[in-house]
Amino acid sequence: MKFNDLFGGLVFLALSGLVATASWSLPNPSQQPLGPSAFPLILSGLLALCAAILAVTGARATEDGPLIGLADWARSGSALARLLLVPAAVIFYMLFAETFGFLICAPLILIVLFLAGGTRPLHAIGLSLAAALVIHSIFYLALGVQLPWGPLEPLRW
Amino acid sequence: MFDAYVTALGMVLDPYVLFVITASAIYGLVVGCIPGLSATMATALLVPLTFFMPPVPAIAAIVTTSTMAIFSGDIPGCLLRIPGTPASAAYVDDSYQMTLKGKPELALGIGLWFSVLGGLFGTAVMMVASPAIADFALGFGSVEFFWIVMLGLGGAVFIGSSTPLKACISLLIGLLIAMVGMNNPAGQPRFTMDSTEMLGGVSLIPMMVGMFACSEVMRHMVSDGSAPHAVVKKIGPIFASMWRLTKQYPWQLIRGSALGTVIGIQPGSGADMAAWMSYAMSKRFSKEPEKFGTGHPEGLIEAGASNNSSLAGAWIPALVFGIPGDSITAIAIGVLMMKNMAPGPTIFVNNPQNVYAVFLVFVIANLLMLPLGWAIIKVATRVLSVPRRVLMPIILLFAIVGSYAINNSLFDVGVMLAFGVLAFVLEENDFPVAPVILGVVLGPLLEEYFINSMIKSDGRLIGLVDRPIAAVLAAITIGIIGWTIIASLRSGKPSKQPAQG
C-alpha cells in the first residue's frame, strides 16, 4: 500500500503525539534532572517537526490526489492474496506450532507457499518435506534448539 | 601487539573457525549471486546461527558472508544485467557488454581478482589505522562519544540517502524503538505496554531478520517471481588476462582501493556509493572515457576494487567507536554486543586478540575468495537458474525458526513479523530501512552519552561543545546536516523522491 506524503506526515505526527503523551507520564524515581522521559520527548519533538515538513510538502505535491493510493501490484487480487499469505503463515506457526509441532506445521506452510508461487503439487510436497527436515536438522540437531514436536513426540530423535 | 596477533592467529586457525569461514563463504557467494537476495539479507539470516557460536567464529561468519556476497553480486550483473547487490550496479553496463561480446570470463575475472586486491588493501589500512585511532580515542569522554554517535547517525541519514527527510523519520522511528524496555539511565520500564517480554527491549535479531528477510519475501510475493535466463552457458578461463590488466591499470587499482576505503570509513556511505564514485572518477581521469559503458575494463577495475575495500573501511569506525557505516556493519555491531565484545576504543586494550582475529578473518576471507569465487563463477549459470519461488518460502521458514531460536519464544516470531511488515510498508513508500536499524542499535548509547554529558554539565547545553574535540565533531555533524538541508531547500524539495500518491 502506498500512501502519499501528506498522509504519511499525519500518521507520523499522530505517532509523535502518542509518544509524547506516554513519555510525560513516565515516573522519575531518582529525581534526576533528566529522567527517563527526557530523551523520548526530544525524539518525539524531532519526529513531529519532520512529520510536519513531510505533510506540508506532501500537501503541496498532492493537490486533489487521493490520500492513500494503491501500488500496481495491489490492484491484482492474486498478488494481494500471495502477500497476505506471508503474515498468515507466520501467524499460523505462532498459533499452532506448540500444538502440532514443527514437523507438521512447517511442511504445511511451505506447501501452501510453494503452490501459491506456481510450483507443481508433487514438487511442492517433496520440497516442503525435504526443506522442513533440513531446517529441523540445522536448528534441532546442530544447534540444540528445542523445536516443538506436538503429536510426533513419541518419534523424537 | 605481536603476542596478541599470535593469539589471534591461533583463534582463527582453529578447525571449527576455518569450517565456519568456509561454510559462510560458500553461503555468501551463493546468496549474493541470486538476484533479489541482498548481502544484507544474507547477513541478517545468518545472525540467529551466530547466536550459538563463540565470538570469533560468529564475527568471522558475518565478515566472510558480507565480503563474498558483495563480490558475487557482480555475477548476475555480468550475466543477466541484474546487479545482485546495489554495490555492483555502477559498472553493470560495462560487464554486461563484455558478456554480449562473448567475454564473460573477462568481466567476471576482473570482478573477482580486483575485489580480492581491493579487499586486501582495505584490510591493510584497517589493520594499521584502527589501533592508532583507538589509541587517540581513549581520551574521549561521554561528550565526544555523543558527537561521534551523532556524526555516525547524521552521516547515515544525510550523506548516504537520496531522501534525507524520510531517512531522518526512519532514524527517529529506530531511536524510538530503542527506547522500549528498561535499558535507560533510570532503569525505568518505558513503552512496554505491561508486557514482560518487552522489558528487555525489542529483540535485535528477530527485528533484523524481519526487516531484511521477511520483508524481502513479501516483496517477492507481489512480484511475478520468474527467474531470468543468462545469455551464456559456458565460461572460459577466468584468470588468463588478470596479471596483464593489473600491470596495465595499476593506478586505477590503487585509486579505487584508496577511495573505497576512505568512503567506507565515512559513516553512512557504504560499498554502493564507493562503487559509483570510483566509476565516475575512473571515467573522469581516463584517457578513453568514451569507451566507458561499452565493455571497457578500466571502470570495472577501479569500482570493483573500491566496493570491496570499502567493506573493510566501514569496519574501522564500527570497531573503534561502535558506529556502523551501513546496515551490514550495524548487524555486525549487534553481534559484537551480543558476544560481549562491545566495540569502542577500550576493546583494543581489553581484548586486542579478538579485534586482531577480525582483521585476520578479513585477510583469510579475501584470499579464500579466489578459489571459491572461481568455483561459483563456474557454476553460476546453474545457481542463477534456481527459481526464487522455491527459495522465498524456505527463507521465510528459516526466518521463523531463526527468530524463535534465540529465546525459544514465539513472541519473537511475532516481533519478526511485525518488523517485516513495517519494513515492507516503509520501503513501499520510499522510506529507507537501514536508518531504523542504526537507530535501534545506537539509540541506547546515544541516550546514555547525552544524559551523562548533561549531568556532568548540570543540564547546560554548552557542556556539549566546551571541549575542543567535541566542538570540532559538533561542527562537522552540524555542517553535514546544515549542508544537506540547504541543498534540499535550493533544489526546492526536502526529499528528492517523494512517494507517489
Side-chain angles (χ1 to χ4, degrees):
Chain A
M1 183 188 291
K2 267 183 179 296
F3 45 80
N4 71 28
D5 288 353
L6 171 59
F7 183 76
L10 293 176
V11 169
F12 289 122
L13 212 51
L15 178 69
S16 68
L18 273 176
V19 173
T21 313
S23 305
W24 274 120
S25 56
L26 283 170
N28 184 11
S30 49
Q31 297 302 314
Q32 294 175 37
L34 294 175
S37 63
F39 208 65
L41 279 173
I42 295 171
L43 294 178
S44 63
L46 289 172
L47 182 62
L49 178 70
C50 292
I53 298 172
L54 187 69
V56 169
T57 53
R60 282 188 194 153
T62 310
E63 308 226 327
D64 297 326
L67 273 187
I68 302 175
L70 291 178
D72 289 342
W73 59 261
R75 297 177 209 281
S76 149
S78 61
L80 201 60
R82 283 201 305 273
L83 174 69
L84 290 177
L85 274 179
V86 176
V90 179
I91 292 167
F92 172 81
Y93 187 86
M94 289 170 69
L95 291 178
F96 296 107
E98 296 289 355
T99 316
F100 296 119
F102 176 83
L103 286 172
I104 292 176
C105 287
L108 279 176
I109 288 172
L110 288 179
I111 286 172
V112 172
L113 292 174
F114 283 144
L115 291 177
T119 308
R120 280 180 284 171
L122 271 181
H123 283 181
I125 293 169
L127 277 170
S128 305
L129 292 172
L133 279 173
V134 169
I135 292 178
H136 185 269
S137 303
I138 292 173
F139 281 93
Y140 178 69
L141 294 180
L143 302 178
V145 176
Q146 291 305 310
L147 293 172
W149 282 84
L152 298 180
E153 184 67 39
L155 297 177
R156 180 191 278 268
W157 55 76
Chain B
M1 182 192 267
F2 182 73
D3 289 347
Y5 261 113
V6 172
T7 315
L9 192 64
M11 291 158 96
V12 174
L13 293 181
D14 177 82
Y16 174 66
V17 178
L18 290 177
F19 166 75
V20 169
I21 290 175
T22 313
S24 319
I26 297 168
Y27 166 75
L29 286 168
V30 171
V31 176
C33 182
I34 299 171
L37 308 189
S38 63
T40 313
M41 192 190 92
T43 315
L45 271 180
L46 201 66
V47 176
L49 300 185
T50 62
F51 185 77
F52 297 93
M53 297 175 190
V56 171
I59 298 301
I62 301 288
V63 167
T64 313
T65 301
S66 58
T67 307
M68 299 289 171
I70 290 290
F71 150 66
S72 97
D74 292 358
I75 299 173
C78 171
L79 299 180
L80 303 169
R81 209 176 172 273
I82 303 171
T85 59
S88 305
Y91 45 84
V92 71
D93 283 336
D94 268 315
S95 62
Y96 189 63
Q97 287 298 327
M98 281 185 187
T99 302
L100 291 182
K101 288 176 183 169
K103 293 188 286 188
E105 58 278 354
L106 184 62
L108 293 168
I110 291 172
L112 176 55
W113 178 247
F114 291 96
S115 288
V116 170
L117 296 182
L120 288 173
F121 181 96
T123 306
V125 173
M126 175 171 69
M127 291 168 89
V128 175
S130 305
I133 300 173
D135 201 32
F136 175 67
L138 278 173
F140 284 12
S142 63
V143 186
E144 284 82 7
F145 277 112
F146 168 76
W147 284 111
I148 292 265
V149 175
M150 282 295 284
L151 181 62
L153 295 175
V157 169
F158 292 97
I159 298 176
S161 172
S162 59
T163 54
L165 179 65
K166 292 190 171 184
C168 201
I169 291 176
S170 291
L171 174 68
L172 288 165
I173 292 172
L175 289 170
L176 284 171
I177 292 167
M179 300 294 106
V180 175
M182 292 176 64
N183 186 15
N184 57 70
Q188 192 67 29
R190 271 193 317 208
F191 313 138
T192 56
M193 290 173 274
D194 295 329
S195 154
T196 46
E197 278 105 342
M198 302 277 270
L199 283 176
V202 174
S203 308
L204 205 56
I205 295 176
M207 189 192 84
M208 291 192 294
V209 171
M211 295 198 92
F212 292 117
C214 185
S215 65
E216 199 72 54
V217 176
M218 293 171 84
R219 243 186 314 284
H220 158 78
M221 284 305 208
V222 297
S223 70
D224 67 351
S226 54
H229 293 287
V231 294
V232 282
K233 295 292 170 212
K234 198 165 185 294
I235 294 162
I238 293 159
F239 296 117
S241 311
M242 291 311 120
W243 185 237
R244 178 180 61 77
L245 287 171
T246 313
K247 284 193 293 182
Q248 194 178 345
Y249 296 110
W251 282 113
Q252 283 77 353
L253 169 64
I254 294 170
R255 208 166 49 201
S257 303
L259 183 69
T261 311
V262 171
I263 291 176
I265 293 172
Q266 267 191 308
S269 39
D272 33 349
M273 190 183 283
W276 282 106
M277 285 183 70
S278 292
Y279 188 83
M281 184 183 264
S282 189
K283 192 172 178 181
R284 169 73 182 77
F285 290 109
S286 173
K287 290 173 185 155
E288 317 164 287
E290 71 284 355
K291 288 188 178 173
F292 278 66
T294 63
H296 186 55
E298 206 175 338
L300 269 178
I301 290 171
E302 191 152 343
S306 179
N307 63 11
N308 267 65
S309 67
S310 79
L311 274 185
W315 274 77
I316 296 175
L319 281 172
V320 179
F321 299 117
I323 306 295
D326 54 17
S327 42
I328 292 179
T329 36
I331 294 172
I333 285 175
V335 172
L336 283 166
M337 286 173 164
M338 237 166 32
K339 298 294 171 192
N340 287 329
M341 276 174 68
T346 50
I347 195 175
F348 287 82
V349 179
N350 300 335
N351 289 306
Q353 67 282 3
N354 284 354
V355 182
Y356 297 157
V358 175
F359 295 164
L360 294 175
V361 169
F362 259 102
V363 175
I364 292 172
N366 276 293
L367 294 176
L368 201 60
M369 202 195 292
L370 278 178
L372 292 179
W374 173 84
I376 192 81
I377 287 172
K378 287 291 174 189
V379 297
T381 49
R382 281 188 206 160
V383 176
L384 285 170
S385 65
V386 176
R388 265 182 285 170
R389 63 186 154 79
V390 171
L391 286 176
M392 287 299 180
I394 296 172
I395 287 174
L396 181 67
L397 185 60
F398 212 92
I400 293 173
V401 185
S403 309
Y404 174 82
I406 309 308
N407 297 315
N408 282 359
S409 156
L410 287 168
F411 180 82
D412 285 344
V413 180
V415 170
M416 186 274 294
L417 174 63
F419 280 95
V421 173
L422 175 70
F424 178 78
V425 174
L426 287 177
E427 290 210 318
E428 274 286 292
N429 292 286
D430 305 317
F431 287 86
V433 166
V436 182
I437 300 285
L438 296 185
V440 176
V441 170
L442 293 178
L445 285 178
L446 189 66
E447 182 179 20
E448 187 186 325
Y449 293 140
F450 177 72
I451 298 288
N452 286 349
S453 305
M454 285 290 95
I455 289 172
K456 280 181 202 164
S457 67
D458 288 331
R460 290 176 307 123
L461 283 173
I462 192 75
L464 290 175
V465 288
D466 64 358
R467 285 160 59 118
I469 297 172
V472 171
L473 291 168
I476 296 172
T477 309
I478 292 166
I480 289 174
I481 296 171
W483 172 71
T484 319
I485 291 172
I486 291 166
S488 295
L489 289 175
R490 277 190 182 164
S491 70
K493 48 189 176 182
S495 78
K496 292 171 193 165
Q497 294 170 2
Q500 301 297 307

